[in-house]
Amino acid sequence: MIATMQTIDAQWESEATTGHVVSGELDLTHKVILYLDDITVSFDGFKALNNLSLAIDAGELRCIIGPNGAGKTTMMDVITGKTRPDTGTAFFGQTMDLTRMTEPQIAHAGIGRKFQKPTVFEKHTVFENLELAMKADKRVRRALFARLSGEERDRIAEVLKRIRLDRHADRVAGLLSHGQKQWLEIGMLLMQEPRLLLLDEPVAGMTDEETERTAELFVSLAGEHSLVVVEHDMSFVGALGGKVTVLCDGAVLAEGDLATVQADPRVIEVYLGR
Ligand code: ADP
Ligand code: MG
């Protein structure tokens, strides 16, 4: 039994590493960066995702809302390769089949994910955190404490500015506010130059001001990056201004601008009915 599983794993690995599915550049010829179609994920017979279909355009800033248990986190698990769907297709651009790629392959292809809790290196400075994030990607080429090139320093400086921590570069990350830690972690993701960013409840626990700054940051990232943001805070979702998808019972219930979906009786029902 174990031998069989290993054989299957080995076959899968070799297909995943040699097939066309993981090679080459991200193909955005049809302007769609993420395409999910008819995805189902079951846990002991319970369908966490139930024929979920969703398409995200290149450069889009999309919000996903929905009651607890709707399947939002499970959807991100499918996109990042953490969970394999039972059925359905998931494509990154035109050619990369996410259901046939490993988690590291998906990350390397340009999908970055931020989890709810910030996971920065508390004892290192803000600058060092960004440096470590950059080098995690280039570890084969470079030793961890090798000197940074001018280009790499510029890149770190650019990200520091973007996440509003340029005046805190030499501070130990453990001393930052909760909101600043969240921004630092977003900065660490940006060091990897992702094309698609997945952000699960990024403003939970932030002050109102931090929440507003985060909305500005995300709006500024859209275009160059595509963003999928799961969030409960409706004023934040409104500030992002993008299209909103409402998930419920593992499928799309409604989609449109925030005002339209908030006025939808089916959406009102699922929020008030639970
Ligand atoms: P959301 O993020 O929208 O709150 P989740 O994707 O976390 O929802 O969960 C969707 C449903 O799937 C929930 O009912 C949850 O209990 C269930 N679920 C999620 N992950 C697992 C798992 N690993 N095993 C069993 N059930 C799970
Ligand atoms: Mg969740």
Side-chain angles (χ1 to χ4, degrees):
M1 181 62 187
I2 289 166
T4 313
M5 288 305 292
Q6 280 170 347
T7 313
I8 291 167
D9 270 0
Q11 274 173 2
W12 192 87
E13 275 294 328
S14 76
E15 260 182 53
T17 46
T18 58
H20 76 284
V21 286
V22 293
S23 60
E25 291 283 298
L26 177 60
D27 178 352
L28 297 174
T29 44
H30 291 91
K31 300 217 163 44
V32 173
I33 192 161
L34 180 72
Y35 180 73
L36 303 181
D37 190 42
D38 230 6
I39 298 274
T40 296
V41 170
S42 306
F43 296 113
D44 299 323
F46 172 79
K47 288 183 175 169
L49 295 180
N50 191 2
N51 302 114
L52 172 69
S53 299
L54 188 80
I56 308 291
D57 285 339
E60 191 181 345
L61 170 44
R62 176 75 61 95
C63 276
I64 311 283
I65 63 172
N68 282 331
K72 304 180 296 294
T73 299
T74 305
M75 179 191 79
M76 291 197 168
D77 290 342
V78 168
I79 298 167
T80 54
K82 190 176 171 207
T83 297
R84 297 277 163 212
D86 304 331
T87 61
T89 45
F91 271 85
F92 186 44
Q94 293 298 302
T95 56
M96 287 191 255
D97 182 347
L98 296 171
T99 65
R100 295 166 68 92
M101 293 162 71
T102 64
E103 285 186 81
Q105 284 169 340
I106 291 170
H108 187 78
I111 298 183
R113 178 182 194 175
K114 189 187 164 323
F115 290 89
Q116 271 171 260
K117 265 186 74 184
T119 50
V120 299
F121 302 106
E122 302 257 335
K123 291 187 176 144
H124 286 272
T125 66
V126 168
F127 188 96
E128 285 165 350
N129 268 273
L130 295 179
E131 188 183 346
L132 287 163
M134 177 174 61
K135 284 181 174 162
D137 207 30
K138 295 178 178 166
R139 59 183 174 266
V140 189
R141 196 159 71 65
R142 254 175 190 283
L144 191 58
F145 293 104
R147 279 188 53 187
L148 289 172
S149 69
E151 199 182 310
E152 287 170 328
R153 289 195 163 273
D154 289 350
R155 172 106 191 94
I156 293 174
E158 185 192 312
V159 169
L160 278 170
K161 221 172 190 160
R162 201 142 211 192
I163 59 175
R164 294 171 184 268
L165 292 177
D166 41 331
R167 286 183 293 116
H168 302 278
D170 298 324
R171 270 187 98 186
V172 170
L175 296 177
L176 297 174
S177 73
H178 171 75
Q180 289 172 324
K181 280 184 195 171
Q182 298 280 34
W183 295 338
L184 177 55
E185 201 182 354
I186 291 164
M188 291 166 75
L189 280 180
L190 293 175
M191 292 308 300
Q192 313 270 346
E193 303 182 55
R195 303 298 297 271
L196 173 64
L197 280 159
L198 308 176
L199 302 127
D200 203 349
E201 302 191 23
V203 300
M206 281 192 187
T207 65
D208 288 351
E209 210 212 312
E210 287 171 339
T211 300
E212 280 171 37
R213 298 287 89 84
T214 305
E216 288 166 14
L217 171 63
F218 288 6
V219 169
S220 83
L221 291 172
E224 189 187 335
H225 304 267
S226 308
L227 291 86
V228 174
V229 183
V230 167
E231 193 44 71
H232 291 293
D233 181 333
M234 290 304 150
S235 65
F236 175 72
V237 172
L240 294 180
K243 202 197 249 185
V244 176
T245 298
V246 184
L247 278 198
C248 185
D249 297 331
V252 175
L253 179 69
E255 209 162 75
D257 61 67
L258 180 61
T260 307
V261 300
Q262 277 186 318
D264 187 322
R266 292 167 307 166
V267 175
I268 294 167
E269 200 195 320
V270 301
Y271 272 101
L272 297 179
R274 294 182 189 215

